[in-house]
Amino acid sequence: MRIAILGFGSVGRGIARVILGKGLDITVTGLADSRSGLIDAGGIDLLAALSKKERGEPCGDPGISPMDVVERAEYDILVEVTPTDVETAEPALGHMRGALRRGRHVVTSNKGPIAIAYPGLRALAEANGVLLRYEATVCGAIPLIHAMQEGLAGNAITRICGVFNGTCNYILTRMAAEGLTYEQALAEARDLGYAEADPTYDVEGIDAAIKLVILANTILDMDTTLDDVERTGITLLSSEALQLAEDQDCTIRLIGEILPEAGVLRVSPRIVAKDHPLVVEGTLNAVTVETDLAGDLTFIGKGAGSTETASAVIGDILYIQSRHVQGY
Amino acid sequence: MKLEMRDQPGQLVAALKPISAVGGNIIAVIHQREATTPAEALAVQIVLELPEGRLERLLELLREQGVNVVRIGEERLLYECTLIMIGHLMHTDLSDTVDQIDRTGSAEVTELSVVMPAIDSPSSARITIRSTNRAEMKRAMRILRAVADQKGLLIIEPLEDA
Ligand SMILES: NC(=O)c1ccc[n+]([C@@H]2O[C@H](COP(=O)([O-])OP(=O)(O)OC[C@H]3O[C@@H](n4cnc5c(N)ncnc54)[C@H](OP(=O)(O)O)[C@@H]3O)[C@@H](O)[C@H]2O)c1
């Protein structure tokens, strides 16, 4: 099976390493980063491309753009793993549309297009008889979307709530465990590479809110945008507040919650009993899905990371391969 | 409420039946023999939740069953919710915030712990509200959210309902 990968950062390289490391029967025929591209129907030398990136060089030919790869490379699945833009969803949205129009499947970890333009993308995929899969967009390694779409098909989902952002969870875990202030815990998260230089997207709950929008629009048949999410971040939390919660065997976590019936989506710090299954440590994610038939299910796992996110992307690729790619 | 009934088989069930008949919900049944209770009678305490305006009908039904209602308890605030507030609580008149809840008559602040780290830096408070029923708790929360919004306070609500 042939894939093209757009974006060769943490996730893109993670995918390449898994393909090489496991000897998967996947040929990469197109590849692009922000400055260059490669097209080779016979299969790109991933090891060479990886070492170029490690030396800080572009992975390919500066004369080949990501859009050239979308339009000219021969692939069965386009793997879109460029950075998320929550306002325009570009350039990923254009890449995906291009591939779907060519009748190629799309797998992505990019939240922008799925949060903003899912209905259109899905219609385009259906019209072209191909699949669009996005497991990696929500909670990294946790196969949450797969579980809800397939495993829990037939259930009515009455509530989804959970810890959707590992950066915030790390900060809150450290504030609770060591009595750190928010600023101290954030600085520590930055040092460890868990928080970006500009942490706004994580700490203001935007990242968690986007994930709620994705779940609401793609699983729960709701029609929501980022503006529909009631959102409070963690920047004003005090170490005293965590202590007050601790005094009652509770703690504080940033919780994303969807109540489909009431049409409520919200991200806010909440008081949670310490023995509650959603109280996970460090950068872990945890999500509880409440259903009518299966009861409550809680999923816990790594929400980010190169290999962990690659796991979700590879899962989607192999899903498509087993069902839809000819010759398999 | 505290009930007195004949100490005979079937009496307790007879006393409990009318509760569900009027749409009530039994939360606890405490069964004890007290010195003041006549030997042939049984004293039972029942904690229950009752829809508005059904108490009279329940008492009537109990009397028909020959059950003597000794005392109807005062403790009507069954729902409890603890939340945390962060902000300039004192500058924004914490007692007014508490008053706004208490003024509803059906919900009240029963516990308040405040930590003030330093003058001019935001303080944190844990506040426990009790109410007569779920709807009143929701109302109290709405009031609190509005007050917090107006005064620029951050409210941290519990994940699960009271
Ligand atoms: N990292 C995670 O754990 C994780 C988890 C879940 C989802 N995601 C999502 O997955 C996507 C990729 O994340 P990441 O961590 O791999 O990001 P990253 O490390 O920043 O890598 C992004 C890659 O995309 C390339 N790129 C940037 N702009 C581009 C453009 N216009 N056209 C083509 N390529 C472009 C970059 O090129 P250069 O190499 O030239 O800079 C880089 O190779 C994001 O949408 C992110 O939200 C990530």
Side-chain angles (χ1 to χ4, degrees), chain A residues 159 161 232-233 236-238 240-245 247-248 252 255 257 266 269-272 276 278 290, chain B residues 82-86 111 113-117 122-126 128 145 152 154-161:
Chain A
R159 184 188 188 207
C161 61
T232 308
L236 298 176
L237 286 190
S238 59
E240 295 82 24
L242 277 142
Q243 187 56 51
L244 285 167
D247 292 344
Q248 302 213 315
I252 298 175
I255 302 287
E257 181 179 31
R266 67 168 163 171
R270 305 280 282 272
I271 302 170
V272 194
H276 193 284
L278 289 181
E290 297 182 8
Chain B
T82 297
L83 33 89
I84 291 174
M85 292 168 66
I86 303 173
E111 216 186 300
S113 317
V114 187
V115 186
M116 288 172 288
S123 36
S124 305
R126 189 181 59 229
T128 300
R145 279 189 209 123
L154 170 64
I155 305 190
I156 305 165
E157 293 180 33
L159 177 61
E160 306 296 351
D161 282 353

Side-chain angles (χ1 to χ4, degrees), chain A residues 7-11 33-34 53 66 81-84 91 109-111 136 304-305 309:
Chain A
F8 209 40
S10 174
V11 177
D33 56 22
S34 67
K53 288 305 280 186
V81 290
T82 64
T84 291
S109 63
N110 193 319
K111 295 174 265 284
T309 310

